[in-house]
Amino acid sequence: MGATGEQIGPARSRERFLVGEPIAGGVRSPILNSWQRCKSLGLSPDRTDLPYRDDFDPDSRLVHAAQPVLDQLASRFAGSQMNVSLADGNGTVLQRRFGEPTLARSLPPIQSVPGFVFAERFAGTNGIGLALAERHLVQVYGAEHFAERSQSNACSAVPIRDQLTGHVVGVLCFGYPYAYEHPALPALVRRAAESIERRLMEQRSARERALLRAYLDAGPPPPNGAGSGEGPMIGLEELGDSGLDLHDQMILKERATELISSTQRAAVEVFLPHGRGVTLLSSPVTSRSGVEGIVVEAVFTGEPPPGHHRSAATGAGPPHGVREVHGVHEAYAARGAPHASPPPSGGDPVAPGAPGPGKVRGLVLVGEPEVGKYAVAARRRLELLAEASTRIGTTLDVTRTAWELAEMAVPRLADYVTVDVPEAVLRGEESADPRSELHRTVVHGIREDCPFYPVGRVELRAGTPHMRCLDSGQAVLQPDLREAVGWIDQEPEHARGILSRGVHSLISVPLLARGVLLGIASFYRSQDPAPFGEDDSWLAQELAARAALCIDNARRYTREHTLALALQESLLPHGVPEQGAVEVAHRYLPAESGVGGDWFDVIPLSGTRVALLVGDVVGHGLHAAATMGRLRTAARNFAELELAPDELLTHLDNLVVRLDREEGGDNDAGSIGIAGATCLYAVYDPTSRLCTMARAGHPPPALVHPDGRVTFPELPAGPPLGLGGLPFETAEVELPEGSTLVLYTDGLIEDRGRDVDVALDQLRRTLAQPHRSPEDTCQAVIDGVAPEHPADDVALLIARTRTVPADRIATWNVSADPSLVAGVRAAATRKLADWGLDEPAFAAELMLSELVTNAVRYGTEPIQVRLVHDRSLICEVSDGSSTAPHLRRAATTEEGGRGLFLVAQLAHAWGTRYTTHGKVIWAECALDAA
């Protein structure tokens, strides 16, 4: 639906406006102002997507009042292309009627289905949005609409007001083809809106209507000095240059309710946010039938008085943001309005809050004092509950949640609060008998020296209000504690001490959630002479119910957190295995929000080498901890196969993909799956001082040189585990003796309140002290670098390198000649004698002879023999073949096949590892072997 020409709207002017050209005239000012607002909002004429709300109330007061009027309009326009819309004060369409019912099926949902919001900031210039903006009847034709889709239509719309307050509560809009335009349509839509307004007023009570009629019959203030002639009463949203928003109106209504309940004549200045000032005038009014009430008017004064700081005012009482205006104007005296102070220079007296020249007034509320008092109390209770919904349960900690309940109740409901919770609940469990294991968790009141039992184990006896509450699961109201015989008899001296402090009333409320009794909250009153009543009991129960639900959530979280932590601790290393390659220290710091999937490991390998590993599974909780355990076990198994770092990461990557596929169940809705993991794997060889590393999306390690210099080796980043099919690369770094390798997870350096580069600088400065032991360095890093409140787990592994001295390594190159085996055996025997290893010499000689013979017979050159004297004696024979021998049981008739069996019996451990040039057969012999 595009523009149809000048006859239905200023199409050319609109086109000029959209391209930024000046418009000489021909466009009505409301339309031009609306276009400018739309442009400033960044709306696009060809794309104005309207929000849809499904939470509107289809049975609101406005809908009930408009229903018969809409039905009459539909009957009147039957058979035509007229459509009638009813929208609320936010521009959300609540009802639609069509002269021709088939229109509802032919039009798009945005023009036929209730729920779409036609406010100007979403829909651009249109009847509903412009009526809300202009606050009076408007007509929009063709190209005056901002959106392209609406330009074949015309519409007439008028606001619907609440006659009691003057507020705009809705809009009635007629939409029709331009050919239907008729001079009588504006009058018709206005009369229909007035009918809806009258029906809205009929929903008010007769007393409210009588008070309003008495107020309206009194007319505006007399002109002598009061500044009459401002026009008819308007709604609060229209006061001031830019109107008052909903928050401003709420402040004024709250203060007006208090003025009504006070039954006093007053003029009060209320300072709204952004420094704007509004004067509230309260005056008594009496209806013809004798109903006495208070009317509160608002006068917009614009700027705040001198000395007022431009801060948001609550208007909830005279303290901050409210100033009483004293004196009453003579002209208002007849209507009960405040008298004015004499003018400072002999001029006409003007009431401080009365409408003066250039000021406008609007009705805020009309009501009866007793109803106002009840409304103030009800509002304060609702405010307390609303605040409690945001302040109770801010953490998943049982004790802290109980404290938040007490802090909310004191002093607005009670003067003292105690909360007793079973010890099992504090541990995250359900209590088998909450009455026998109560732990006083909170004692809070208006005084620090509360006269109640302190935090600790408490015992409640039968007959007390507290025990009756626990037994029945119902709140117990004790208006006068002096009549609580069972409570006094439990410990008379203690009870007299409480009563002597003025404590006179009690409400005991059970903490029940999901059918589980979680404890008891007791509310005491002392300062207010009035005892607790049923309304107070209801409020205490509401607060306790909200707190109980949060306590139960915290209890369940505590249980799951404890289980997850226990599982993770069982899956992490409980100690460091014996090895001589590195001196190791480690730390694991769980996240505050829950256990995660971080882990570390130290794995001894053949040839005095050691593998260092850190990893991080994405996520928190039991699933992450279980996944971590599976990956750590798999990594240890892959390490036992002597795989290179890049190959090991490839196998882990394949495993994560497979686990994710199995647990994801082909994307079943109830499946969890594995989100992924990162890992860093390093292998250090103390005989060559070479460290081979590879990482899968993990932070690089830190390297502390013997001179204190700290670097971060450049390692290929590699993809995180779980992506599948992507390669990993290794890097080889030579580490000086006494170097320190620091491996960590991202929880150490990543924090919401700190940049990663800043954290790495902190880590560099902390590590730049090479003479500390690994254990001291580990603690320094946790204290100086780890976040104070970690949002993620922290795993830290620090390894100081050692080397095997060159004089403890012996190497021989052997040709593929069986006759040379005896010479190698003899040379090895002499070297063992030089090392003082006479006891294991015989076993070592037999093992070495067998391994060298196998390499000469079945392997290929180059063949090399190496002895390493470390914590054990290591015999290694390498050759260029990739075929490894296998241990088997030889038959009694076979002459060979027993060599590896003999090696396995003599060696402490033996195995095969593959290299880029072949394989290595190794065997370890304990130094105390005979």
Side-chain angles (χ1 to χ4, degrees), residues 85 218 225 309 349 404-405 409 491 514 599 782 786:
S85 302
H309 299 285
E404 289 168 347
L405 167 63
E491 193 166 335
R514 303 181 179 99
W599 86 94
I782 292 296

Side-chain angles (χ1 to χ4, degrees), residues 12 204 229 268 272 331 579 769:
R12 293 182 182 174
R204 298 281 188 174
V268 176
L272 299 173
Q579 46 80 36
Q769 297 188 31

Side-chain angles (χ1 to χ4, degrees), residues 852-874:
V852 173
T853 300
N854 281 343
V856 170
R857 287 182 177 179
Y858 308 112
T860 59
E861 294 185 357
I863 301 173
Q864 187 181 74
V865 178
R866 187 173 75 155
L867 293 180
V868 180
H869 179 200
D870 192 43
R871 300 169 63 90
S872 62
L873 178 63
I874 302 172

